[in-house]
């Protein structure tokens, strides 16, 4: 049995999953965002943090394990305590511990337990199917430059109504030549 599988299943359904004697994974809604410097768009997601003060067993995780593994509630609690003990041993030895698809625990200064979320999984069910994407920046040219490029090889001949009687327009290779009468 792997504890991360059950925690992950519960994070899709609940905003708080308590791992007894470790802490509670608390989820908060984070809206969609645009990282303009990187030209990346991110969908809304559940931001997961670890609250070390939530250590008392609320029964949610143990009940999930008991149902999934078809074991008693007390056996599920024993499995949870063994998993937390293993996690603490791993932290003491390597200063980090990864829970697949949930995040990484590591020891900070003064041996404080820190948690960093794995952002490859989006636990917000309303965002199902959405993923982050990159969109290249739009390059814009000034309008006068666009007009100059379009009219570069064109010969402009004014209409008869706008012609002045004293001005004569003579077409040339370079454009129009104006002469006064």
């Amino acid at each position: 049995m792997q504890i991360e599988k059950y925690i992950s299943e519960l994070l899709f359904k609940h905003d708080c999953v308590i791992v007894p004697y470790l802490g509670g994974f608390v989820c908060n809604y984070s809206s969609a965002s645009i990282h303009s410097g990187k030209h990346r768009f991110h969908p809304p997601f559940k931001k997961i943090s670890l609250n070390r003060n939530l250590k008392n067993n609320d029964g949610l995780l143990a009940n999930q394990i008991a149902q999934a593994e078809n074991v008693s509630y007390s056996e599920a609690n024993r499995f949870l305590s063994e998993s937390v003990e293993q996690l603490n041993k791993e932290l003491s030895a390597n200063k980090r511990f990864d829970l697949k698809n949930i995040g990484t625990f590591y020891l900070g200064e003064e041996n404080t337990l820190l948690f960093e979320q794995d952002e490859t999984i989006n636990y917000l069910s309303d965002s199902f199917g959405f993923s982050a994407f990159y969109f290249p920046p739009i390059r814009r040219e000034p309008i006068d430059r666009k007009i100059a490029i379009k009219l570069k090889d064109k010969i402009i001949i004014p209409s008869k109504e706008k012609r002045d009687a004293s001005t004569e327009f003579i077409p040339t290779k370079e454009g129009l030549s104006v002469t006064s009468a």
Side-chain angles (χ1 to χ4, degrees):
M1 287 190 283
Q2 293 182 336
I3 192 172
E4 55 260 25
K5 174 184 171 189
Y6 304 110
I7 295 171
S8 182
E9 289 172 358
L10 289 171
L11 286 173
F12 279 109
K13 301 174 193 171
H14 301 279
D15 289 334
C16 182
V17 177
I18 296 174
V19 179
Y21 310 109
L22 178 68
F25 293 103
V26 180
C27 301
N28 291 304
Y29 177 83
S30 182
S31 62
S33 62
I34 300 171
H35 297 283
S36 58
K38 296 180 180 180
H39 306 287
R40 290 191 58 83
F41 297 83
H42 294 275
F45 69 100
K46 276 186 180 180
K47 177 74 177 155
I48 301 171
S49 58
L50 180 70
N51 185 340
R52 294 277 296 153
N53 295 324
L54 299 174
K55 292 183 180 185
N56 292 334
N57 189 358
D58 66 350
L60 182 68
L61 183 56
N63 197 30
Q64 177 76 8
I65 293 169
Q67 286 179 353
E69 295 294 325
N70 204 17
V71 296
S72 70
Y73 182 79
S74 60
E75 287 178 51
N77 276 323
R78 193 176 74 251
F79 167 72
L80 276 172
S81 63
E82 289 171 3
S83 297
V84 170
E85 189 177 311
Q86 179 64 33
L87 187 143
N88 287 328
K89 285 180 185 176
E90 185 78 24
L91 277 171
S92 297
N94 300 328
K95 306 289 185 206
R96 9 180 353 110
F97 184 81
D98 292 320
L99 279 179
K100 185 179 177 186
N101 296 331
I102 297 169
T104 304
F105 293 94
Y106 54 97
L107 292 177
E109 293 180 21
E110 300 174 11
N111 283 338
T112 55
L113 181 64
L114 302 172
F115 174 75
E116 186 176 315
Q117 178 183 357
D118 179 0
E119 294 181 359
T120 59
I121 301 290
N122 188 348
Y123 288 102
L124 184 64
S125 58
D126 292 343
S127 294
F128 182 77
F130 295 161
S131 62
F133 63 93
Y134 167 81
F135 194 84
I138 298 171
R139 301 196 194 296
R140 300 181 191 264
E141 290 185 43
I143 190 75
D144 54 343
R145 175 142 167 80
K146 286 182 182 180
I147 292 171
I149 291 171
K150 284 188 176 188
L151 298 178
K152 182 179 175 186
D153 297 329
K154 307 280 188 211
I155 297 174
I156 302 173
I157 301 174
S159 66
K160 290 182 181 180
E161 299 164 0
K162 293 188 179 180
R163 272 193 201 167
D164 184 38
S166 64
T167 307
E168 185 179 335
F169 295 95
I170 303 169
T172 64
K173 279 187 171 180
E174 294 81 32
L176 291 177
S177 171
V178 180
T179 58
S180 296

